Amino acid sequence: MLEVNNIEVVYNDVILVLKGISLQVPPHGIVALLGANGAGKTTTLKAISGVLSLQSGRLEAGSISFKRKFIHNLDPDAIVRMGVCMVPEGRRIFDELTVLENLVIGSYTRSNRENARADLEAVFDYFPVLRERAHQRSVYLSGGEQQMLAVGRAFMSSPELIMLDEPSLGLAPLLVQSIFKILKRIHRERDAALLLVEQNAKLALKFSSYGYIMENGKIVLDGPCERLMENEDVKEFYLGVAEDTGRKSYADVKHYKRRKRWLS
């Protein structure tokens, strides 16, 4: 469904942030993108969603296609219309607007209003608290409720691919479990593919079927999540269950076998 092919991203015409990233999201798949802070995960999502230029970023090389159509030269609203949406880090809701107004804005790119109204009811079914607070200004929602609203707003665009940037950030464990349970339900009932950037590596690998690990703007490891969870380096650097060998990052792993595309 989504294919990111060897992309490079530059900020302010100087800083090379992504250095040849390649990844794929299959139809109806759930893919995790993991890595330390500053690895380039959020920049990858911004490149896919077409918002790099808003922060002085530019796709320098490579291509991005969705359902076999190139999207890397499209405006963000056109990408949303094609079925790709992002739940940004930090929620980024319109806090001066009501919950209902936020959800309606999420359907802005849709022409079939009857279907949009049906999806609004679906959002209220997934997140009943949003129905209760529909006419309240969203600034008064709790952090967990704001995250629910951000997911609901993305759902209102009728996406085939939902990208989520740190959905568990700052939330209590019980709220995280609740939100991920709803995400799994949306994935199952709507056949939506998910691309997940998540700080909680254990949660992300259990939730997803395939994973990519980034360091310093490059993919250094990928594979089925079951296999990644058994990888000794993943255990050491991301799951915290391996012995302390003194290594600080994948850059120190000399025995790791990278794929040919990472060596170029």
Side-chain angles (χ1 to χ4, degrees), residues 156-224:
M156 286 298 296
S157 68
S158 189
E160 295 180 64
L161 170 64
I162 303 175
M163 302 186 297
L164 301 115
D165 194 358
E166 305 282 11
S168 76
L169 187 64
L171 301 183
L174 287 178
L175 275 173
V176 172
Q177 291 179 17
S178 176
I179 288 174
F180 272 77
K181 184 178 180 180
I182 297 301
L183 288 173
K184 183 71 80 170
R185 182 180 166 193
I186 291 172
H187 167 258
R188 182 179 66 251
E189 295 179 356
R190 295 302 179 109
D191 286 331
L194 304 177
L195 176 56
L196 173 67
V197 167
E198 176 53 55
Q199 60 174 347
N200 187 330
K202 184 176 181 180
L203 172 66
L205 291 174
K206 285 187 174 181
F207 181 76
S208 307
S209 56
Y210 199 89
Y212 294 85
I213 295 178
M214 293 184 67
E215 279 215 0
N216 299 319
K218 296 181 179 180
I219 300 290
V220 296
L221 181 66
D222 73 294

Side-chain angles (χ1 to χ4, degrees), residues 67-87:
K67 296 171 66 174
R68 302 186 183 279
K69 296 181 180 179
F70 289 119
I71 63 173
H72 55 273
N73 291 321
L74 297 180
D75 292 332
D77 62 305
I79 294 173
V80 173
R81 285 187 173 91
M82 290 184 69
V84 180
C85 72
M86 181 167 71
V87 179

Side-chain angles (χ1 to χ4, degrees), residues 16-219:
L16 181 62
V17 177
L18 299 186
K19 307 168 185 177
I21 292 294
S22 295
L23 60 84
Q24 294 181 340
V25 179
H28 321 306
I30 304 179
V31 174
L33 182 59
L34 307 177
N37 289 338
K41 307 182 299 298
T42 295
T43 296
T44 301
L45 298 191
K46 289 179 178 178
I48 296 169
S49 58
V51 299
L52 282 175
S53 61
L54 302 178
Q55 297 182 334
S56 302
R58 185 179 73 255
L59 189 69
E60 186 78 3
S63 64
I64 304 171
S65 61
F66 180 69
K67 296 171 66 174
R68 302 186 183 279
K69 296 181 180 179
F70 289 119
I71 63 173
H72 55 273
N73 291 321
L74 297 180
D75 292 332
D77 62 305
I79 294 173
V80 173
R81 285 187 173 91
M82 290 184 69
V84 180
C85 72
M86 181 167 71
V87 179
E89 181 182 359
R91 280 72 110 173
R92 301 293 179 89
I93 60 172
F94 300 105
D95 51 12
E96 293 299 316
L97 302 181
T98 67
V99 168
L100 179 59
E101 288 167 340
N102 269 272
L103 294 173
V104 170
I105 284 176
S107 68
Y108 173 76
T109 57
R110 301 177 62 172
S111 57
N112 190 319
R113 307 315 299 175
E114 183 175 346
N115 287 348
R117 283 191 290 271
D119 280 347
L120 178 62
E121 286 301 312
V123 170
F124 289 149
D125 180 49
Y126 291 134
F127 304 111
V129 68
L130 297 184
R131 185 192 299 274
E132 296 171 10
R133 304 183 183 276
H135 300 291
Q136 294 182 12
R137 283 175 54 193
S138 55
V139 69
Y140 297 119
L141 299 180
S142 69
E145 291 165 349
Q146 289 184 1
Q147 187 64 67
M148 295 175 188
L149 178 57
V151 173
R153 182 180 60 187
F155 180 86
M156 286 298 296
S157 68
S158 189
E160 295 180 64
L161 170 64
I162 303 175
M163 302 186 297
L164 301 115
D165 194 358
E166 305 282 11
S168 76
L169 187 64
L171 301 183
L174 287 178
L175 275 173
V176 172
Q177 291 179 17
S178 176
I179 288 174
F180 272 77
K181 184 178 180 180
I182 297 301
L183 288 173
K184 183 71 80 170
R185 182 180 166 193
I186 291 172
H187 167 258
R188 182 179 66 251
E189 295 179 356
R190 295 302 179 109
D191 286 331
L194 304 177
L195 176 56
L196 173 67
V197 167
E198 176 53 55
Q199 60 174 347
N200 187 330
K202 184 176 181 180
L203 172 66
L205 291 174
K206 285 187 174 181
F207 181 76
S208 307
S209 56
Y210 199 89
Y212 294 85
I213 295 178
M214 293 184 67
E215 279 215 0
N216 299 319
K218 296 181 179 180
I219 300 290

